[in-house]
Amino acid sequence: MEQHNDEQRKIELLKWFLENNFFNQRIEYYMERFEIISKIDNIIDKRDAYLKFQTDILNEFDNMVRKKSIMM
């Protein structure tokens, strides 16, 4: 499995947000959270925080998709 550093993760995250039409204010919110997580020194705590972060993003994305499908 390929290992990514925080800067690579940040770039991939921004690309994903833009590809999936996240609003700028939400992107800013998640990028601020990402910056906080990237400063965590303890690798176990960092991994747990990053997992929750990813889960929150995917939940928001799922909600966006559901709202779009209901509108159609």
Side-chain angles (χ1 to χ4, degrees), residues 2-3 9 14 17-18 27 52-53 55 58 63 67:
E2 186 177 341
Q3 294 288 322
R9 283 190 185 100
L14 280 170
F17 280 141
L18 295 173
I27 294 172
K52 181 173 180 356
F53 173 76
T55 303
L58 292 176
N63 288 334
K67 285 179 185 177

Side-chain angles (χ1 to χ4, degrees), residues 16-29:
W16 188 86
F17 280 141
L18 295 173
E19 289 170 359
N20 289 287
N21 301 314
F22 269 70
F23 294 112
N24 284 340
Q25 65 191 36
R26 297 307 291 163
I27 294 172
E28 290 173 16
Y29 166 75

